[in-house]
Amino acid sequence: MMSTLSFSSGLLGRQLSAAALALASCGTLQAQTLTIAAYPAVDSIAKSAATEWKKKHPGADIKIVSRSFADHHTAMTTALSTTSNLPDVMVLEVGYVARFAENGGLQDLSQAPFDIKAHQAKFVPYAFKQATASTGAVVAVPTDIGPGTLLYRADLLKKAGITESQLTSSWDNYVKAGVQIKAQTNAYLMPHARDMKDIIIRSNLQAGEGLYFDNKGKPLINTPRFERAFSLAREVRTQKLDGKINAWSTEWTEGFKRGQIATQMSGAWLAGHLNNWIAPQTKGLWRAAQLPEKSWASWGGSFYAIPKGAAHKPLAWDFIQMMTMQADLQLKAFKAEDAFPALQAVHKDAFMDQPIEFLGGQKARLLWREAAQKTTAIDVHKLDPIAEEIVNTELDKVLDQGKDIRQALQDAQSLLERRARRS
């Protein structure tokens, strides 16, 4: 297996070296500084690869600008809109890729000399699709992904007399199990009822459907998919199975530490966060499972993109190829930062078979690999962030004010239709 990885790395290394020589022969390499803008933990991954990149590009330097997740994307939004202070490479979370792609500020990597489509088969299919704009332009390259998983506290389930199959056989049984868990352990089934809505609307999408819009730009809010999502979320709230806790809040992290949250639907990366900094003292108590009803979904994922106004595009492209297509670096990032690789060659590595101590010795990466392969790409729309805000506002009215679900969906549909007509 390692020979396969080494061959791929060697081949790419020769390609990059050739590119470096070409640049040097043109006299463009000397005294150039490649600027990378990133957020944690992609910044750490980039820093760890900087030495190798410099060896491939003698005479060039590399500068990594790191900001918090929110500050980074705010800065990138400003940079693209003003075409000032642009980095050569910007890291983007998947939720921002579509937004920036539709605004036209990112380089189309499907065109020469990049020709990223020649490498499409190397990546997890849904991740590559996430970087493809409605025009067919490919504006970014995936580096890590977030296969959807259900993390649960095995000790709390045992105390409540609940098995994993009871938890995952259906969404209705998941809620029923939550009632028993709450009664026997006083732990919440999930942090927030909104989590239920978020997964259900991502399940069982039909051809031509995006999350909020169809392929003709028509909103899809007032549909059975959203009605089921709202109904299950309301059931969670009615049964007092959620703590009304927002993700990434202090209350959220404390809930994990104190055993007040029995399950969390998320990307596979959350297991690493729990182990590394959120709740390391809970090692051995957690397990991973596929989502109920085999609802394949993804949470998050990081991409490398080149702004159209970047100053050093050849160097930027060499860096992106190294970080996304060099198997040994992808594996290194996987081991160090739990960054589940978008590069499919790494999925064959023996590391996938190793038990995870934090998850009680479970070989959970095999579950996540299966989820990565079975997750289908969801078509994106530039108004998705606005649609999410509108839907969440109406869900809050249902959960907190008792608003009728069908009326809430109709109101959200009407508002989104008006916004779509103005865009």
Side-chain angles (χ1 to χ4, degrees):
M1 187 55 60
M2 291 306 296
S3 62
T4 302
L5 296 180
S6 299
F7 172 78
S8 300
S9 302
L11 178 61
L12 183 60
R14 290 193 292 275
Q15 293 171 341
L16 294 179
S17 297
L21 290 173
L23 285 169
S25 67
C26 295
T28 61
L29 189 61
Q30 300 302 317
Q32 290 190 3
T33 298
L34 181 72
T35 302
I36 316 294
Y39 53 82
V42 188
D43 56 352
S44 298
I45 295 170
K47 289 174 184 176
S48 69
T51 300
E52 179 169 346
W53 186 85
K54 288 180 181 180
K55 289 180 180 178
K56 298 177 186 293
H57 298 278
D61 201 359
I62 186 168
K63 177 183 177 182
I64 298 172
V65 180
S66 178
R67 301 180 180 90
S68 69
F69 181 86
D71 289 345
H72 167 79
H73 287 100
T74 298
M76 295 304 97
T77 300
T78 301
L80 287 173
S81 63
T82 62
T83 64
S84 61
N85 298 316
L86 286 168
D88 297 301
V89 177
M90 67 171 57
V91 177
L92 297 174
E93 198 271 338
V94 62
Y96 290 85
V97 172
R99 193 181 316 180
F100 291 170
E102 297 298 336
N103 290 335
L106 300 178
Q107 181 69 47
D108 180 4
L109 301 177
S110 70
Q111 302 298 315
F114 312 101
D115 298 317
I116 184 60
K117 288 187 177 179
H119 304 283
Q120 182 172 352
K122 297 176 182 177
F123 300 98
V124 171
Y126 85 80
F128 193 90
K129 178 73 178 294
Q130 287 175 326
T132 305
S134 58
T135 60
V138 182
V139 299
V141 185
T143 181
D144 63 69
I145 58 176
T149 190
L150 178 68
L151 298 175
Y152 67 87
R153 283 283 295 260
D155 57 329
L156 295 178
L157 262 67
K158 182 178 180 180
K159 185 176 180 180
I162 296 293
T163 64
E164 180 183 301
S165 61
Q166 287 176 276
L167 198 67
T168 62
S169 59
S170 73
W171 288 113
D172 290 327
N173 286 339
Y174 174 63
V175 175
K176 290 178 182 178
V179 174
Q180 192 167 332
I181 291 170
K182 183 69 183 301
Q184 297 298 322
T185 70
N186 204 36
Y188 296 115
L189 176 64
M190 64 184 66
H192 202 289
R194 191 185 305 120
D195 296 348
M196 178 62 81
K197 179 269 297 180
D198 287 341
I199 178 58
I200 297 299
I201 66 172
R202 286 166 169 78
S203 303
N204 301 318
L205 271 71
Q206 304 302 311
E209 289 184 345
L211 199 56
Y212 301 103
F213 297 87
D214 66 16
N215 55 14
K216 296 181 180 178
K218 178 183 176 181
L220 297 170
I221 311 304
N222 197 15
T223 59
R225 174 162 55 97
F226 278 84
E227 185 171 355
R228 188 184 186 209
F230 273 48
S231 296
L232 282 168
R234 183 177 62 183
E235 183 66 14
V236 167
R237 178 61 56 81
T238 299
Q239 298 287 352
K240 299 181 180 180
L241 303 182
D242 75 316
K244 304 179 184 178
I245 301 169
N246 291 319
W248 306 111
S249 66
T250 300
E251 191 178 6
W252 188 71
T253 56
E254 286 299 315
F256 290 128
K257 292 177 183 177
R258 298 174 181 175
Q260 296 171 337
I261 299 171
T263 75
Q264 175 69 71
M265 295 171 284
S266 183
W269 43 262
L270 182 60
H273 288 335
L274 288 168
N275 180 36
N276 295 329
W277 63 275
I278 295 178
Q281 67 272 33
T282 62
K283 182 174 69 174
L285 301 179
W286 291 91
R287 299 292 184 274
Q290 302 294 19
L291 294 163
E293 296 185 7
K294 296 296 178 70
S295 301
W296 313 111
S298 72
W299 270 266
S302 299
F303 294 74
Y304 287 104
I306 301 175
K308 283 184 176 179
H312 307 116
K313 291 183 182 179
L315 289 178
W317 180 232
D318 282 352
F319 179 82
I320 290 175
Q321 288 184 92
M322 186 181 81
M323 298 304 296
T324 62
M325 300 184 213
Q326 192 165 314
D328 60 335
L329 291 183
Q330 283 263 302
L331 182 60
K332 181 181 178 181
F334 193 13
K335 291 180 176 179
E337 302 291 347
D338 295 293
F340 202 94
L343 188 67
Q344 297 198 84
V346 188
H347 293 195
K348 302 174 184 178
D349 191 84
F351 183 63
M352 287 285 179
D353 297 307
Q354 292 184 11
I356 300 176
E357 187 178 359
F358 182 77
L359 298 177
Q362 184 182 11
K363 296 182 178 181
R365 297 186 188 98
L366 299 177
L367 294 176
W368 301 335
R369 182 175 67 184
E370 179 188 18
Q373 292 300 322
K374 291 187 176 179
T375 298
T376 57
I378 297 175
D379 290 339
V380 296
H381 191 281
K382 64 181 180 180
L383 292 181
D384 279 351
I386 294 174
E388 181 180 28
E389 182 179 342
I390 290 171
V391 168
N392 283 342
T393 297
E394 289 300 322
L395 178 62
D396 287 342
K397 292 177 182 178
V398 170
L399 298 177
D400 300 330
Q401 303 171 21
K403 185 172 182 177
D404 178 74
I405 289 177
R406 291 188 177 181
Q407 185 62 54
L409 295 178
Q410 180 58 59
D411 290 347
Q413 176 85 9
S414 298
L415 179 55
L416 195 52
E417 286 175 347
R418 290 196 296 271
R419 294 297 298 270
R421 286 195 295 268
R422 294 201 302 266
S423 67

